[in-house]
Amino acid sequence: AKTARKRGKSIVKGGLGTAARTAGLLGGILSFAVSEGIIERNPAEGVRRPADQRRTRRLNREEYRRLGQTIEELAGDETDQAILAVKLLALTGCRLGEIAKLRWSEVDRAGQCLRFTDSKEGASVRPIGKVVLDVLCEPSTDAAFVLAGVRKAEAFGGLPRAWLRIVKRARLVGVTPHTLRHSFASVGGDLGYSEPTIGAMLGHAAGSVTSRYIHHLDEVLVAATDRVSETIAAMMFEEVVQNGSAERASTEDQPDPQRAAA
């Protein structure tokens, strides 16, 4: 689209999902204007919005293994922060922003959870598996963030580009950080867990675990999260962490949906 500047143009990006969310935001603004008496009617009322397409891409067993092999091969060539970030994204189902800004003060080892002070849903408590605690080694410095930047008080800023390098090396087409979140939920479904349980693992706003007043998570929920993360770790690295020791797991082993805990 041309702009007022000579030979200027603006490039607008976004698909149907962006259009739907933008129309919804505009409708909300205009509804507020009506309630305040600024305008008499909402001109956006009745306007049909395009359907926001759901993401259905998930990693299969072979793709999980390729991702695991890639980050093992890149150890020493890629930054430690990027390698750790990919592991955490895959094994927790957290959002990219939550991992990128995760502080050591938000890691609750005793409670086996992450206590986000500011996530998409506000304050949120997120259960994590024991394998995640093994990945989260104690910091060797007094850095504030798990993914520490050059300056100790800042977070690592090279994650977006590092992610693109890693998925390209792993030959994973159409895979974004959100794909790992969706895949985490899908593995939970494969194991037979219910939607409310999976939602609680992911920290959805409807889940009671997002309350800032929660101090101790339900043991069943923690055990469910433990099993999902162990299953993913087994697919990625062909090993499962049990009682602090790594045991080799066959890649032919399939999740048993009969052991559902919810």
Side-chain angles (χ1 to χ4, degrees), residues 80-103:
D80 293 340
Q81 295 95 322
I83 299 297
L84 176 58
V86 174
K87 290 180 180 180
L88 293 177
L89 287 168
L91 298 174
T92 65
C94 289
R95 300 180 180 88
L96 177 65
E98 293 170 338
I99 294 301
K101 299 295 184 181
L102 177 62
R103 293 175 176 269

Side-chain angles (χ1 to χ4, degrees), residues 13 20 33 64 71 80 87 104 154 157 203 209 214 231 248 251:
K13 296 182 179 181
Y64 264 125
I71 59 178
D80 293 340
K87 290 180 180 180
W104 284 111
E154 297 179 353
V209 297
I214 292 293
T231 301
R248 304 303 292 180
T251 54

Side-chain angles (χ1 to χ4, degrees), residues 144-161:
F145 294 92
V146 172
L147 304 182
V150 177
R151 298 179 181 177
K152 296 178 181 179
E154 297 179 353
F156 176 63
L159 185 53
R161 290 187 178 182

Side-chain angles (χ1 to χ4, degrees), residues 134-211:
D134 290 338
V135 169
L136 283 170
C137 300
E138 292 289 350
S140 57
T141 66
D142 56 350
F145 294 92
V146 172
L147 304 182
V150 177
R151 298 179 181 177
K152 296 178 181 179
E154 297 179 353
F156 176 63
L159 185 53
R161 290 187 178 182
W163 170 262
L164 294 177
R165 291 194 297 267
I166 291 170
V167 293
K168 182 179 181 180
R169 173 77 173 264
R171 307 185 312 281
L172 297 174
V173 180
V175 173
T176 67
H178 191 86
T179 305
L180 297 186
R181 180 172 169 82
H182 180 71
S183 300
F184 185 94
S186 298
V187 171
D190 293 342
L191 293 171
Y193 294 114
S194 65
E195 286 191 13
T197 298
I198 295 171
M201 292 183 199
L202 296 176
H204 287 170
S208 61
V209 297
T210 58
S211 170

Side-chain angles (χ1 to χ4, degrees), residues 102-119:
L102 177 62
R103 293 175 176 269
W104 284 111
S105 60
E106 296 173 324
V107 178
D108 182 353
R109 291 183 176 275
Q112 200 172 322
C113 63
L114 303 177
R115 296 184 180 276
F116 294 114
T117 54
D118 185 19
S119 70

Side-chain angles (χ1 to χ4, degrees), residues 217-235:
L217 295 176
D218 186 281
E219 290 184 2
V220 175
L221 177 60
V222 173
T225 308
D226 221 359
R227 188 160 172 250
V228 173
S229 59
E230 274 192 1
T231 301
I232 293 173
M235 289 189 286

